Amino acid sequence: MENSSTAVSSSDPLVEDLLVRFRETSSNLLGPLVTEKAQALLSRAVHLGKAKIAREDEKFWFSSFSFLALLQVSGNNAVPATLNITDIINFFEIPLVDFVNSLLMVTEAVKVESSQLDQVKEIEHQLTLLCLIYQKYKEICSQNGPDNPVLFKFGWVLFLVTKQHMTIKHDLINLFSLLINVAHFVFFKNPPNTSAPELSRFCLNYNATPALTLSIENSTFRPTLDRLCETKVLVASQGNSFLDENALHNTERLEQYYRSYRETTRARSFDEITFLDFTQKIGKTSRLSQSYSQYFNMKDGSQSSANPSSISVPVPMNDQPPVSPFRSPSTRIVPLTPITCA
């Protein structure tokens, strides 16, 4: 039970009105237990004077407190994790980047437990990596294939599915090497093209490391692809292609496979297929282009006379993780100021 020094005065009509609006807005999504936890966190932030909340900004804060409450409840095994990040941002109709921005500020404002803070930082880190990978995927597609939405979606979902089966660390280098495998398969193996560049040469076009990319092909990509074929998730045509008359059905089955797999990690996961609607669902990241340029050298290895071992690869300096592009908050979300319930 909270002591008197942390409780919020119920006599403040503005605060009470804020909490009522939160209950009315969120209870149908969260249920009574998570709603109660979220209200307690919101009340604490109000009491500490750590948030300025105007009516038009409430959805950002409400979504953040809802998610932190969900982490508390699911972490204590009080209720099953039936919700995830995507459920919350869809309910409040906010882009994922805005959600992460407000979540980062809320965790700093209310001083959550270290375990919850670690989870929030991991979400930020994984989202940063995936934004960078998605931008690189768009670039590779634009240079190697026609503007085909079905092909584009097939490749992205195939990457997400094979990523789920990658047992090594999901850092930028390994994810990028997996992406190269996926792109090479999509553009040069459907149907097989005898004049296509070998995977090792294709790596150099994008400054990937051939040895690592070939290793991930053998350990992750090829076994996962074989499993998808054995279970009829992917079905090849008579021409030994997955992307002719079967393209749409293969893409749909891949998406179903991905979503069923995600059910086992719901609480902290977000629907990565929504990256296909980047502007609407993910949002704008003011520092993404800077981070992208820093970690992906655009030099074309196929046109370079340099020794392949000297061609730069996207390795962060000093092995540090990529700088998050989500540290520039919306100008309408103002943390660490006295509460205003407008």
Side-chain angles (χ1 to χ4, degrees):
M1 180 178 296
E2 291 184 321
N3 58 40
S4 58
S5 65
T6 59
V8 177
S9 171
S10 60
S11 62
D12 189 333
L14 293 178
V15 173
E16 283 302 304
D17 185 46
L18 177 70
L19 296 177
V20 167
R21 290 201 300 276
F22 176 77
R23 285 195 299 271
E24 292 176 345
T25 302
S26 311
S27 59
N28 289 338
L29 171 71
L30 302 176
L33 181 57
V34 180
T35 299
E36 181 183 353
K37 293 285 188 181
Q39 277 187 247
L41 288 169
L42 181 58
S43 298
R44 182 181 177 190
V46 169
H47 174 77
L48 295 174
K50 296 293 188 179
K52 179 179 179 180
I53 305 178
R55 283 289 186 105
E56 63 268 26
D57 298 327
E58 286 180 350
K59 61 182 180 180
F60 299 103
W61 296 96
F62 287 177
S63 65
S64 298
F65 288 114
S66 297
F67 181 72
L68 289 177
L70 180 65
L71 285 184
Q72 283 189 355
V73 172
S74 60
N76 294 330
N77 296 317
V79 294
T82 56
L83 296 173
N84 63 22
I85 293 174
T86 302
D87 297 324
I88 291 174
I89 64 174
N90 286 343
F91 181 83
F92 288 101
E93 298 181 336
I94 59 176
L96 187 53
V97 168
D98 286 345
F99 169 76
V100 172
N101 273 330
S102 60
L103 184 60
L104 289 166
M105 291 186 287
V106 164
T107 55
E108 294 174 358
V110 299
K111 304 300 181 184
V112 298
E113 296 178 2
S114 59
S115 60
Q116 295 174 9
L117 181 60
D118 289 343
Q119 292 179 65
V120 170
K121 288 183 177 179
E122 178 61 20
I123 291 167
E124 178 196 16
H125 176 64
Q126 291 302 321
L127 187 54
T128 301
L129 294 180
L130 210 59
C131 280
L132 294 170
I133 289 292
Y134 182 74
Q135 296 299 324
K136 191 64 177 177
Y137 175 65
K138 290 202 314 182
E139 178 198 324
I140 294 173
C141 287
S142 69
Q143 294 173 355
N144 290 279
D147 185 10
N148 184 326
V150 175
L151 182 148
F152 187 88
K153 182 176 182 178
F154 175 88
W156 181 244
V157 181
L158 180 60
F159 167 76
L160 298 178
V161 168
T162 51
K163 177 172 71 74
Q164 291 170 335
H165 293 280
M166 191 166 73
T167 56
I168 59 177
K169 184 178 181 181
H170 287 199
D171 60 19
L172 182 62
I173 307 304
N174 293 333
L175 291 176
F176 181 54
S177 296
L178 177 62
L179 181 70
I180 292 296
N181 272 285
V182 171
H184 186 262
F185 173 78
V186 168
F187 293 113
F188 301 116
K189 300 295 184 182
N190 286 280
N193 184 349
T194 56
S195 62
E198 294 293 331
L199 178 58
S200 58
R201 188 60 189 174
F202 188 65
C203 288
L204 299 183
N205 291 348
Y206 294 99
N207 304 317
T209 307
L212 178 59
T213 305
L214 292 170
S215 174
I216 289 178
E217 179 191 30
N218 294 326
S219 65
T220 301
F221 182 71
R222 186 56 58 182
T224 303
L225 195 62
D226 291 342
R227 189 180 304 117
L228 293 172
C229 293
E230 291 169 1
T231 56
K232 305 299 182 182
V233 175
L234 294 180
V235 178
S237 66
Q238 293 292 334
N240 200 25
S241 173
F242 297 97
L243 289 172
D244 44 24
E245 65 265 23
N246 290 335
L248 184 58
H249 291 306
N250 280 329
T251 303
E252 291 173 348
R253 285 190 291 266
L254 266 182
E255 184 172 355
Q256 292 172 1
Y257 182 93
Y258 167 82
R259 296 194 189 284
S260 64
Y261 192 93
R262 278 187 65 249
E263 292 298 319
T264 62
T265 58
R266 286 186 62 83
R268 294 179 298 280
S269 65
F270 51 89
D271 186 348
E272 299 153 312
I273 294 179
T274 59
F275 273 72
L276 296 170
D277 188 9
F278 197 94
T279 301
Q280 184 71 24
K281 295 293 186 180
I282 307 302
K284 296 180 179 180
T285 55
S286 59
R287 295 172 61 186
L288 183 58
S289 59
Q290 174 186 351
S291 189
Y292 179 83
S293 299
Q294 180 180 359
Y295 293 102
F296 288 114
N297 188 320
M298 297 296 104
K299 182 174 60 179
D300 186 349
S302 65
Q303 298 177 4
S304 173
S305 60
N307 185 301
S309 62
S310 69
I311 295 177
S312 59
V313 296
V315 181
M317 294 182 64
N318 301 321
D319 295 325
Q320 294 299 309
V323 176
S324 168
F326 306 111
R327 294 291 187 177
S328 300
S330 167
T331 55
R332 293 172 53 215
I333 302 177
V334 186
L336 307 178
T337 58
I339 182 70
T340 301
C341 303

